[in-house]
PDB file of all heavy atoms in Angstrom:
ATOM      1  N   PRO D  29      -3.226 -54.713 -30.539  1.00 54.00           N
ATOM      2  CA  PRO D  29      -3.784 -53.759 -31.498  1.00 54.00           C
ATOM      3  C   PRO D  29      -3.039 -52.437 -31.486  1.00 54.00           C
ATOM      4  O   PRO D  29      -2.472 -52.033 -30.484  1.00 54.00           O
ATOM      5  CB  PRO D  29      -5.232 -53.601 -31.001  1.00 54.00           C
ATOM      6  CG  PRO D  29      -5.533 -54.914 -30.343  1.00 54.00           C
ATOM      7  CD  PRO D  29      -4.237 -55.308 -29.684  1.00 54.00           C
ATOM      8  N   SER D  30      -3.082 -51.780 -32.622  1.00 50.00           N
ATOM      9  CA  SER D  30      -2.363 -50.527 -32.874  1.00 50.00           C
ATOM     10  C   SER D  30      -0.859 -50.744 -32.923  1.00 50.00           C
ATOM     11  O   SER D  30      -0.077 -49.823 -32.763  1.00 50.00           O
ATOM     12  CB  SER D  30      -2.713 -49.446 -31.837  1.00 50.00           C
ATOM     13  OG  SER D  30      -4.043 -49.039 -32.012  1.00 50.00           O
ATOM     14  N   GLY D  31      -0.445 -51.984 -33.174  1.00 46.00           N
ATOM     15  CA  GLY D  31       0.958 -52.242 -33.461  1.00 46.00           C
ATOM     16  C   GLY D  31       1.876 -52.270 -32.268  1.00 46.00           C
ATOM     17  O   GLY D  31       3.093 -52.332 -32.424  1.00 46.00           O
ATOM     18  N   VAL D  32       1.359 -52.251 -31.031  1.00 42.00           N
ATOM     19  CA  VAL D  32       2.219 -52.264 -29.857  1.00 42.00           C
ATOM     20  C   VAL D  32       2.670 -53.702 -29.594  1.00 42.00           C
ATOM     21  O   VAL D  32       1.852 -54.595 -29.421  1.00 42.00           O
ATOM     22  CB  VAL D  32       1.470 -51.715 -28.622  1.00 42.00           C
ATOM     23  CG1 VAL D  32       2.360 -51.781 -27.394  1.00 42.00           C
ATOM     24  CG2 VAL D  32       1.027 -50.289 -28.881  1.00 42.00           C
ATOM     25  N   VAL D  33       3.951 -53.940 -29.577  1.00 41.00           N
ATOM     26  CA  VAL D  33       4.482 -55.272 -29.341  1.00 41.00           C
ATOM     27  C   VAL D  33       5.078 -55.332 -27.948  1.00 41.00           C
ATOM     28  O   VAL D  33       5.888 -54.491 -27.569  1.00 41.00           O
ATOM     29  CB  VAL D  33       5.553 -55.646 -30.388  1.00 41.00           C
ATOM     30  CG1 VAL D  33       6.120 -57.033 -30.099  1.00 41.00           C
ATOM     31  CG2 VAL D  33       4.967 -55.594 -31.782  1.00 41.00           C
ATOM     32  N   GLN D  34       4.633 -56.301 -27.145  1.00 42.00           N
ATOM     33  CA  GLN D  34       5.164 -56.414 -25.801  1.00 42.00           C
ATOM     34  C   GLN D  34       5.002 -57.851 -25.321  1.00 42.00           C
ATOM     35  O   GLN D  34       4.249 -58.631 -25.890  1.00 42.00           O
ATOM     36  CB  GLN D  34       4.445 -55.463 -24.845  1.00 42.00           C
ATOM     37  CG  GLN D  34       2.967 -55.783 -24.660  1.00 42.00           C
ATOM     38  CD  GLN D  34       2.299 -54.817 -23.708  1.00 42.00           C
ATOM     39  OE1 GLN D  34       2.590 -53.632 -23.702  1.00 42.00           O
ATOM     40  NE2 GLN D  34       1.410 -55.321 -22.886  1.00 42.00           N
ATOM     41  N   ASN D  35       5.738 -58.206 -24.281  1.00 42.00           N
ATOM     42  CA  ASN D  35       5.576 -59.516 -23.680  1.00 42.00           C
ATOM     43  C   ASN D  35       4.364 -59.479 -22.769  1.00 42.00           C
ATOM     44  O   ASN D  35       4.184 -58.566 -21.968  1.00 42.00           O
ATOM     45  CB  ASN D  35       6.822 -59.895 -22.881  1.00 42.00           C
ATOM     46  CG  ASN D  35       7.992 -60.200 -23.793  1.00 42.00           C
ATOM     47  OD1 ASN D  35       7.802 -60.763 -24.866  1.00 42.00           O
ATOM     48  ND2 ASN D  35       9.183 -59.839 -23.377  1.00 42.00           N
ATOM     49  N   SER D  36       3.513 -60.476 -22.882  1.00 56.00           N
ATOM     50  CA  SER D  36       2.287 -60.481 -22.114  1.00 56.00           C
ATOM     51  C   SER D  36       1.919 -61.901 -21.733  1.00 56.00           C
ATOM     52  O   SER D  36       2.092 -62.823 -22.534  1.00 56.00           O
ATOM     53  CB  SER D  36       1.160 -59.856 -22.932  1.00 56.00           C
ATOM     54  OG  SER D  36      -0.076 -59.972 -22.278  1.00 56.00           O
ATOM     55  N   ALA D  37       1.429 -62.076 -20.511  1.00 87.00           N
ATOM     56  CA  ALA D  37       0.900 -63.368 -20.101  1.00 87.00           C
ATOM     57  C   ALA D  37      -0.501 -63.476 -20.681  1.00 87.00           C
ATOM     58  O   ALA D  37      -1.428 -62.821 -20.223  1.00 87.00           O
ATOM     59  CB  ALA D  37       0.873 -63.453 -18.584  1.00 87.00           C
ATOM     60  N   MET D  38      -0.668 -64.290 -21.708  1.00 92.00           N
ATOM     61  CA  MET D  38      -1.930 -64.338 -22.437  1.00 92.00           C
ATOM     62  C   MET D  38      -2.743 -65.551 -22.038  1.00 92.00           C
ATOM     63  O   MET D  38      -2.206 -66.639 -21.829  1.00 92.00           O
ATOM     64  CB  MET D  38      -1.669 -64.359 -23.949  1.00 92.00           C
ATOM     65  CG  MET D  38      -2.944 -64.267 -24.783  1.00 92.00           C
ATOM     66  SD  MET D  38      -2.621 -64.296 -26.545  1.00 92.00           S
ATOM     67  CE  MET D  38      -1.766 -62.743 -26.726  1.00 92.00           C
ATOM     68  N   ASN D  39      -4.035 -65.353 -21.940  1.00 95.00           N
ATOM     69  CA  ASN D  39      -4.944 -66.450 -21.686  1.00 95.00           C
ATOM     70  C   ASN D  39      -4.750 -67.525 -22.755  1.00 95.00           C
ATOM     71  O   ASN D  39      -4.743 -67.216 -23.949  1.00 95.00           O
ATOM     72  CB  ASN D  39      -6.381 -65.917 -21.705  1.00 95.00           C
ATOM     73  CG  ASN D  39      -7.406 -66.984 -21.440  1.00 95.00           C
ATOM     74  OD1 ASN D  39      -7.669 -67.810 -22.292  1.00 95.00           O
ATOM     75  ND2 ASN D  39      -7.998 -66.947 -20.254  1.00 95.00           N
ATOM     76  N   PRO D  40      -4.579 -68.776 -22.360  1.00 95.00           N
ATOM     77  CA  PRO D  40      -4.278 -69.834 -23.338  1.00 95.00           C
ATOM     78  C   PRO D  40      -5.396 -70.047 -24.345  1.00 95.00           C
ATOM     79  O   PRO D  40      -5.129 -70.445 -25.490  1.00 95.00           O
ATOM     80  CB  PRO D  40      -4.059 -71.070 -22.469  1.00 95.00           C
ATOM     81  CG  PRO D  40      -4.731 -70.769 -21.181  1.00 95.00           C
ATOM     82  CD  PRO D  40      -4.594 -69.295 -20.978  1.00 95.00           C
ATOM     83  N   ASP D  41      -6.646 -69.803 -23.950  1.00 96.00           N
ATOM     84  CA  ASP D  41      -7.736 -69.964 -24.909  1.00 96.00           C
ATOM     85  C   ASP D  41      -7.643 -68.943 -26.037  1.00 96.00           C
ATOM     86  O   ASP D  41      -7.835 -69.274 -27.211  1.00 96.00           O
ATOM     87  CB  ASP D  41      -9.079 -69.839 -24.193  1.00 96.00           C
ATOM     88  CG  ASP D  41      -9.403 -71.063 -23.346  1.00 96.00           C
ATOM     89  OD1 ASP D  41      -8.986 -72.168 -23.740  1.00 96.00           O
ATOM     90  OD2 ASP D  41     -10.056 -70.907 -22.308  1.00 96.00           O
ATOM     91  N   LEU D  42      -7.345 -67.678 -25.677  1.00 96.00           N
ATOM     92  CA  LEU D  42      -7.194 -66.662 -26.722  1.00 96.00           C
ATOM     93  C   LEU D  42      -5.974 -66.944 -27.583  1.00 96.00           C
ATOM     94  O   LEU D  42      -5.993 -66.741 -28.799  1.00 96.00           O
ATOM     95  CB  LEU D  42      -7.100 -65.266 -26.100  1.00 96.00           C
ATOM     96  CG  LEU D  42      -8.408 -64.612 -25.657  1.00 96.00           C
ATOM     97  CD1 LEU D  42      -8.161 -63.183 -25.200  1.00 96.00           C
ATOM     98  CD2 LEU D  42      -9.430 -64.616 -26.781  1.00 96.00           C
ATOM     99  N   LEU D  43      -4.896 -67.406 -26.944  1.00 95.00           N
ATOM    100  CA  LEU D  43      -3.693 -67.746 -27.705  1.00 95.00           C
ATOM    101  C   LEU D  43      -4.012 -68.832 -28.724  1.00 95.00           C
ATOM    102  O   LEU D  43      -3.620 -68.740 -29.903  1.00 95.00           O
ATOM    103  CB  LEU D  43      -2.598 -68.206 -26.758  1.00 95.00           C
ATOM    104  CG  LEU D  43      -1.271 -68.620 -27.413  1.00 95.00           C
ATOM    105  CD1 LEU D  43      -0.644 -67.433 -28.141  1.00 95.00           C
ATOM    106  CD2 LEU D  43      -0.316 -69.176 -26.357  1.00 95.00           C
ATOM    107  N   SER D  44      -4.736 -69.846 -28.293  1.00 95.00           N
ATOM    108  CA  SER D  44      -5.101 -70.939 -29.192  1.00 95.00           C
ATOM    109  C   SER D  44      -5.995 -70.450 -30.328  1.00 95.00           C
ATOM    110  O   SER D  44      -5.845 -70.867 -31.481  1.00 95.00           O
ATOM    111  CB  SER D  44      -5.808 -72.038 -28.399  1.00 95.00           C
ATOM    112  OG  SER D  44      -6.241 -73.076 -29.253  1.00 95.00           O
ATOM    113  N   GLU D  45      -6.932 -69.567 -30.011  1.00 97.00           N
ATOM    114  CA  GLU D  45      -7.831 -69.024 -31.036  1.00 97.00           C
ATOM    115  C   GLU D  45      -7.033 -68.315 -32.120  1.00 97.00           C
ATOM    116  O   GLU D  45      -7.284 -68.493 -33.320  1.00 97.00           O
ATOM    117  CB  GLU D  45      -8.827 -68.049 -30.404  1.00 97.00           C
ATOM    118  CG  GLU D  45      -9.788 -68.662 -29.406  1.00 97.00           C
ATOM    119  CD  GLU D  45     -10.879 -69.483 -30.059  1.00 97.00           C
ATOM    120  OE1 GLU D  45     -11.142 -69.285 -31.263  1.00 97.00           O
ATOM    121  OE2 GLU D  45     -11.475 -70.328 -29.371  1.00 97.00           O
ATOM    122  N   ARG D  46      -6.079 -67.517 -31.716  1.00 97.00           N
ATOM    123  CA  ARG D  46      -5.306 -66.737 -32.686  1.00 97.00           C
ATOM    124  C   ARG D  46      -4.389 -67.623 -33.522  1.00 97.00           C
ATOM    125  O   ARG D  46      -4.212 -67.403 -34.717  1.00 97.00           O
ATOM    126  CB  ARG D  46      -4.513 -65.650 -31.959  1.00 97.00           C
ATOM    127  CG  ARG D  46      -5.428 -64.556 -31.416  1.00 97.00           C
ATOM    128  CD  ARG D  46      -4.759 -63.578 -30.509  1.00 97.00           C
ATOM    129  NE  ARG D  46      -5.719 -62.547 -30.099  1.00 97.00           N
ATOM    130  CZ  ARG D  46      -5.911 -62.129 -28.868  1.00 97.00           C
ATOM    131  NH1 ARG D  46      -5.187 -62.625 -27.869  1.00 97.00           N
ATOM    132  NH2 ARG D  46      -6.823 -61.213 -28.606  1.00 97.00           N
ATOM    133  N   GLN D  47      -3.829 -68.621 -32.884  1.00 96.00           N
ATOM    134  CA  GLN D  47      -2.938 -69.523 -33.616  1.00 96.00           C
ATOM    135  C   GLN D  47      -3.707 -70.371 -34.617  1.00 96.00           C
ATOM    136  O   GLN D  47      -3.130 -70.833 -35.614  1.00 96.00           O
ATOM    137  CB  GLN D  47      -2.183 -70.417 -32.632  1.00 96.00           C
ATOM    138  CG  GLN D  47      -1.151 -69.657 -31.797  1.00 96.00           C
ATOM    139  CD  GLN D  47      -0.506 -70.516 -30.732  1.00 96.00           C
ATOM    140  OE1 GLN D  47      -1.057 -71.551 -30.326  1.00 96.00           O
ATOM    141  NE2 GLN D  47       0.656 -70.088 -30.236  1.00 96.00           N
ATOM    142  N   GLY D  48      -5.003 -70.556 -34.387  1.00 96.00           N
ATOM    143  CA  GLY D  48      -5.791 -71.395 -35.285  1.00 96.00           C
ATOM    144  C   GLY D  48      -6.508 -70.644 -36.383  1.00 96.00           C
ATOM    145  O   GLY D  48      -7.272 -71.245 -37.148  1.00 96.00           O
ATOM    146  N   ALA D  49      -6.272 -69.336 -36.492  1.00 97.00           N
ATOM    147  CA  ALA D  49      -6.964 -68.543 -37.519  1.00 97.00           C
ATOM    148  C   ALA D  49      -6.549 -68.977 -38.916  1.00 97.00           C
ATOM    149  O   ALA D  49      -5.409 -69.373 -39.163  1.00 97.00           O
ATOM    150  CB  ALA D  49      -6.672 -67.060 -37.323  1.00 97.00           C
ATOM    151  N   SER D  50      -7.484 -68.872 -39.839  1.00 97.00           N
ATOM    152  CA  SER D  50      -7.238 -69.323 -41.217  1.00 97.00           C
ATOM    153  C   SER D  50      -6.641 -68.235 -42.098  1.00 97.00           C
ATOM    154  O   SER D  50      -6.351 -68.487 -43.272  1.00 97.00           O
ATOM    155  CB  SER D  50      -8.551 -69.811 -41.838  1.00 97.00           C
ATOM    156  OG  SER D  50      -9.436 -68.715 -42.061  1.00 97.00           O
ATOM    157  N   PHE D  51      -6.446 -67.040 -41.563  1.00 98.00           N
ATOM    158  CA  PHE D  51      -5.982 -65.924 -42.386  1.00 98.00           C
ATOM    159  C   PHE D  51      -5.014 -65.069 -41.587  1.00 98.00           C
ATOM    160  O   PHE D  51      -4.908 -65.193 -40.360  1.00 98.00           O
ATOM    161  CB  PHE D  51      -7.171 -65.073 -42.862  1.00 98.00           C
ATOM    162  CG  PHE D  51      -7.922 -64.407 -41.732  1.00 98.00           C
ATOM    163  CD1 PHE D  51      -7.620 -63.115 -41.345  1.00 98.00           C
ATOM    164  CD2 PHE D  51      -8.921 -65.086 -41.049  1.00 98.00           C
ATOM    165  CE1 PHE D  51      -8.302 -62.505 -40.297  1.00 98.00           C
ATOM    166  CE2 PHE D  51      -9.610 -64.480 -40.006  1.00 98.00           C
ATOM    167  CZ  PHE D  51      -9.289 -63.196 -39.627  1.00 98.00           C
ATOM    168  N   ASP D  52      -4.331 -64.187 -42.280  1.00 97.00           N
ATOM    169  CA  ASP D  52      -3.390 -63.256 -41.667  1.00 97.00           C
ATOM    170  C   ASP D  52      -4.172 -62.040 -41.157  1.00 97.00           C
ATOM    171  O   ASP D  52      -4.742 -61.280 -41.944  1.00 97.00           O
ATOM    172  CB  ASP D  52      -2.345 -62.822 -42.707  1.00 97.00           C
ATOM    173  CG  ASP D  52      -1.231 -61.972 -42.113  1.00 97.00           C
ATOM    174  OD1 ASP D  52      -1.534 -61.126 -41.251  1.00 97.00           O
ATOM    175  OD2 ASP D  52      -0.075 -62.151 -42.522  1.00 97.00           O
ATOM    176  N   ILE D  53      -4.202 -61.866 -39.837  1.00 97.00           N
ATOM    177  CA  ILE D  53      -4.984 -60.788 -39.230  1.00 97.00           C
ATOM    178  C   ILE D  53      -4.529 -59.422 -39.728  1.00 97.00           C
ATOM    179  O   ILE D  53      -5.340 -58.540 -40.019  1.00 97.00           O
ATOM    180  CB  ILE D  53      -4.879 -60.864 -37.697  1.00 97.00           C
ATOM    181  CG1 ILE D  53      -5.485 -62.171 -37.187  1.00 97.00           C
ATOM    182  CG2 ILE D  53      -5.576 -59.669 -37.043  1.00 97.00           C
ATOM    183  CD1 ILE D  53      -5.268 -62.419 -35.705  1.00 97.00           C
ATOM    184  N   GLU D  54      -3.220 -59.256 -39.851  1.00 97.00           N
ATOM    185  CA  GLU D  54      -2.692 -57.960 -40.274  1.00 97.00           C
ATOM    186  C   GLU D  54      -3.177 -57.591 -41.673  1.00 97.00           C
ATOM    187  O   GLU D  54      -3.502 -56.430 -41.951  1.00 97.00           O
ATOM    188  CB  GLU D  54      -1.165 -57.981 -40.235  1.00 97.00           C
ATOM    189  CG  GLU D  54      -0.492 -56.691 -40.673  1.00 97.00           C
ATOM    190  CD  GLU D  54      -0.648 -55.553 -39.677  1.00 97.00           C
ATOM    191  OE1 GLU D  54      -1.205 -55.785 -38.590  1.00 97.00           O
ATOM    192  OE2 GLU D  54      -0.215 -54.426 -39.993  1.00 97.00           O
ATOM    193  N   LYS D  55      -3.261 -58.570 -42.556  1.00 98.00           N
ATOM    194  CA  LYS D  55      -3.723 -58.294 -43.921  1.00 98.00           C
ATOM    195  C   LYS D  55      -5.179 -57.823 -43.915  1.00 98.00           C
ATOM    196  O   LYS D  55      -5.555 -56.932 -44.686  1.00 98.00           O
ATOM    197  CB  LYS D  55      -3.564 -59.534 -44.795  1.00 98.00           C
ATOM    198  CG  LYS D  55      -2.118 -59.869 -45.131  1.00 98.00           C
ATOM    199  CD  LYS D  55      -2.024 -61.086 -46.040  1.00 98.00           C
ATOM    200  CE  LYS D  55      -0.569 -61.390 -46.396  1.00 98.00           C
ATOM    201  NZ  LYS D  55      -0.446 -62.597 -47.261  1.00 98.00           N
ATOM    202  N   LEU D  56      -5.991 -58.416 -43.056  1.00 98.00           N
ATOM    203  CA  LEU D  56      -7.387 -57.987 -42.988  1.00 98.00           C
ATOM    204  C   LEU D  56      -7.501 -56.592 -42.376  1.00 98.00           C
ATOM    205  O   LEU D  56      -8.305 -55.770 -42.832  1.00 98.00           O
ATOM    206  CB  LEU D  56      -8.215 -58.994 -42.182  1.00 98.00           C
ATOM    207  CG  LEU D  56      -9.712 -58.686 -42.058  1.00 98.00           C
ATOM    208  CD1 LEU D  56     -10.344 -58.404 -43.414  1.00 98.00           C
ATOM    209  CD2 LEU D  56     -10.437 -59.831 -41.356  1.00 98.00           C
TER     210      LEU D  56
END
């Protein structure tokens, strides 16, 4: 959030949730 881009070890469940979204988060 707030546009900060960095490498991060992400929880696989959250990663899966985001990859399965039906819309573009940035547009919302």
Side-chain angles (χ1 to χ4, degrees):
S30 291
V32 178
V33 179
Q34 64 180 38
N35 289 324
S36 174
M38 186 180 293
N39 180 286
D41 287 328
L42 281 186
L43 179 62
S44 177
E45 296 286 340
R46 290 171 178 132
Q47 290 174 339
S50 69
F51 64 94
D52 186 321
I53 297 173
E54 179 71 5
K55 289 182 179 179
L56 181 51

